[in-house]
Amino acid sequence: MVAANREMAVYCFDTLVAHYNSEDAPLPAFDEGQHPLFVTWKKVVNGGEPRLRGCIGTLEARYIISGFQDYALTSALRDRRFPPIQAKELPTLECTVSILTDYETASHYLDWEVGKHGLIIEFTDPNNNARRSATYLPEVAAHEGWTREEAIDSLMRKAGYNGHITESLRKSIRVTRYQSTLFTLTYSDYVSYVRETRGAAPTINGVKHVNH
């Protein structure tokens, strides 16, 4: 099984840097495979808690080299919840890459473990019969300090449901649980990696270096 690793996160940074420099990213240093994957960007300001800046991926298996390339940019530039990440933000960023595994259909909406499972929920909106769905990666509920029920309710809101949440509605949800491996890399660790493996730190158009 392929696990998320440092080289995948490096490739995501490489891809974003190359975008700002209008050049091609270096070839990735990991092997091809087919897996569902996510790329998450967070921003650390003044040593505080990292804040989400973008998180997009695919729940369907796809080739991971093109997948990480695509979602590194999509999550950084086209997550509709946030303005696009600018080049000047790079020194404050950290990147988490996730490879999703072990999809299972839960027997009911509480049939999963906080901190172990990610969730995909699917349900019919009782107000308009729209099909709604949303996902949280395994680390989200634990990071937020939610119970399983709180995580489910939050996911329903994320899916776009604005009505009253009843127990019968919760019981109607189809829940798919999954697990993941992940790797988080800060920009400063990325710079160190590039310097060690390529002989020079990355340069970004219009960005002064903070790591010397």
Side-chain angles (χ1 to χ4, degrees):
M1 188 196 86
V2 173
N5 60 42
R6 178 173 63 172
E7 285 68 28
M8 294 172 185
V10 166
Y11 187 54
C12 290
F13 267 115
D14 279 345
T15 298
L16 192 55
V17 168
H19 167 77
Y20 294 128
N21 290 343
S22 299
E23 60 191 20
D24 292 331
L27 293 174
F30 57 90
D31 292 332
E32 184 64 283
Q34 292 189 60
H35 297 278
L37 57 92
F38 270 75
V39 178
T40 303
W41 296 102
K42 291 186 177 181
K43 182 175 181 175
V44 180
V45 181
N46 298 327
E49 184 78 12
R51 284 189 234 151
L52 187 64
R53 277 298 273 114
C55 178
I56 295 179
T58 173
L59 298 168
E60 304 288 331
R62 63 169 291 177
Y63 287 106
I64 59 175
I65 291 177
S66 64
F68 280 124
Q69 186 175 36
D70 288 350
Y71 289 109
L73 293 179
T74 303
S75 59
L77 307 174
R78 291 188 283 280
D79 188 325
R80 290 177 293 183
R81 296 170 292 178
F82 306 99
I85 293 174
Q86 300 178 43
K88 66 183 180 184
E89 295 180 75
L90 269 167
T92 67
L93 293 182
E94 64 177 36
C95 178
T96 299
V97 291
S98 301
I99 298 277
L100 312 187
T101 61
D102 300 304
Y103 283 60
E104 300 171 308
T105 300
S107 58
H108 53 84
Y109 76 91
L110 296 176
D111 182 26
W112 59 281
E113 292 181 37
V114 173
K116 178 179 180 180
H117 294 114
L119 301 174
I120 304 164
I121 67 164
E122 301 168 271
F123 64 100
T124 299
D125 189 324
N127 294 329
N128 56 18
N129 284 331
R131 290 293 294 162
R132 298 196 178 278
S133 64
T135 189
Y136 277 145
L137 295 173
E139 61 269 25
V140 172
H143 180 265
E144 297 292 339
W146 289 331
T147 64
R148 289 173 296 173
E149 186 172 288
E150 287 169 339
I152 291 291
D153 289 359
S154 177
L155 255 184
M156 294 175 75
R157 298 303 187 205
K158 183 182 179 185
Y161 176 65
N162 297 315
H164 183 56
I165 297 176
T166 62
E167 182 64 13
S168 62
L169 182 56
R170 291 189 190 103
K171 288 180 176 178
S172 76
I173 295 171
R174 173 186 167 90
V175 177
T176 302
R177 65 190 189 195
Y178 59 86
Q179 297 178 52
S180 72
T181 61
L182 54 84
F183 192 96
T184 299
L185 186 73
T186 65
Y187 179 76
S188 59
D189 286 342
Y190 164 69
V191 170
S192 298
Y193 176 92
V194 171
R195 188 183 284 125
E196 290 168 13
T197 58
R198 301 173 195 163
T203 56
I204 301 104
N205 292 342
V207 178
K208 293 179 181 176
H209 254 297
V210 293
N211 300 76
H212 285 295

